């Protein structure tokens, strides 16, 4: 696909994906290829490629003589980063944020405990570096810079757990942290207590103290849920 085709593909996907996840096309809706071609003024090839991407996320299914049918929400790949991004951009944002934060509450404390046992010296150093950079960017309304280090910190925790299933959730956590920032579901400066807790997690992992690493991480996720009660009730 040439640059023009890729641009058209991105444009159609950026329209259809959020529309489906927002419920503009209810389950069972049939999207006809020829109508999509006409609506977006693109070739059949572009439409087919977009449909393939949507199929890979289980948002639609394509059947000969039927067309492209929107699937029920309980069949979607809710762990797909783009699906998360689209849902966070829609009216369902508060519920999606709570669902994702509840997932983090279940997974990240366990991952931090495992990291205390399995993290390499290099990973321990990375955690400390990112935690200190979070401290450095936590004042003066530097949320974009803070976000970079926040995402990196949590990716290292998940990866250093030594559990490949936890590690694969790095993209999911990145999307929820990004969504909170981009949609202003955070205070203009991060909660100082939460920032300090990230430093303590890094220290606990380096000290090989699994109980403390788990407890501090749980406090982080509980605090994130408290913020949602205030900012996205």
């Amino acid at each position: 696909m040439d640059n023009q085709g890729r641009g058209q593909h991105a444009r159609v996907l950026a329209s259809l994906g959020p529309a489906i996840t927002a419920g503009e096309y209810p389950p069972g809706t049939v999207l006809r290829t020829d109508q999509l071609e006409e609506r977006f003024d693109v070739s059949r090839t572009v439409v087919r490629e977009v449909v393939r991407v949507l199929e890979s996320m289980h948002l639609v299914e394509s059947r000969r003589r039927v067309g492209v049918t929107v699937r029920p929400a309980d069949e979607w790949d809710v762990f797909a980063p783009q699906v998360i991004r689209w849902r966070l951009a829609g009216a369902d944002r508060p519920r999606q944020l709570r669902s994702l934060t509840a997932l983090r509450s279940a997974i990240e404390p366990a991952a931090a405990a495992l990291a205390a046992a399995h993290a390499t010296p290099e990973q321990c150093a990375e955690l400390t570096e990112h935690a200190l950079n979070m401290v450095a960017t936590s004042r003066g309304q530097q949320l974009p810079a803070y976000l970079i280090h926040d995402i990196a910190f949590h990716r290292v925790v998940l990866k250093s757990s030594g559990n490949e299933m936890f590690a694969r959730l790095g993209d999911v956590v990145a999307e929820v942290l990004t969504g909170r920032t981009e949609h202003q579901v955070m205070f203009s400066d991060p909660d100082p207590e939460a920032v300090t807790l990230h430093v303590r997690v890094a220290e606990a992992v380096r000290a090989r103290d699994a109980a403390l690493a788990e407890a501090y991480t749980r406090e982080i996720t509980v605090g994130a849920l408290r913020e949602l009660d205030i900012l996205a009730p």
Side-chain angles (χ1 to χ4, degrees), residues 30-33 61-69:
V30 176
L31 306 173
R32 287 178 48 191
T33 301
E61 60 180 343
S62 181
R63 284 189 286 183
R64 193 172 295 176
R65 297 192 183 89
V66 175
V68 179
T69 306

Side-chain angles (χ1 to χ4, degrees), residues 139 146 190-200 216 219-220 223 226:
R139 288 291 171 267
Y146 180 87
D191 177 13
E193 183 181 348
V195 178
T196 299
L197 285 169
H198 283 78
V199 176
R200 289 177 177 167
Y216 288 143
E219 285 189 55
I220 291 172
R226 276 199 307 265

Side-chain angles (χ1 to χ4, degrees), residues 218-229:
R218 192 171 304 284
E219 285 189 55
I220 291 172
T221 58
V222 168
L225 282 168
R226 276 199 307 265
E227 282 193 8
L228 290 180
D229 288 337

Side-chain angles (χ1 to χ4, degrees), residues 83-175:
V83 173
I84 293 171
R85 198 174 312 143
W86 292 334
R87 293 179 71 191
L88 287 176
D92 197 34
R93 183 182 306 134
R95 190 168 71 89
Q96 170 74 340
L97 280 170
R98 288 184 178 283
S99 178
L100 289 165
T101 305
L103 175 69
R104 291 183 60 200
S105 300
I107 297 300
E108 288 196 82
L114 288 171
H118 299 291
T120 65
E122 291 77 17
Q123 288 170 327
C124 290
E126 282 185 74
L127 278 179
T128 299
E129 179 183 0
H130 292 309
L132 293 178
N133 282 328
M134 289 172 70
V135 173
T137 56
S138 64
R139 288 291 171 267
Q141 299 182 15
Q142 303 181 70
L143 286 182
Y146 180 87
L147 175 64
I148 292 171
H149 301 297
D150 196 9
I151 289 173
F153 180 94
H154 290 281
R155 282 191 186 278
V156 175
V157 170
L158 291 165
K159 186 175 181 180
S160 61
S161 70
N163 183 306
E164 75 281 6
M165 305 296 286
F166 287 176
R168 287 296 298 274
L169 290 174
D171 288 342
V172 173
V173 173
E175 287 297 335

Side-chain angles (χ1 to χ4, degrees), residues 68-80:
V68 179
T69 306
V70 176
R71 299 175 68 165
D74 60 5
E75 296 179 3
W76 297 348
D77 180 2
V78 293
F79 290 104

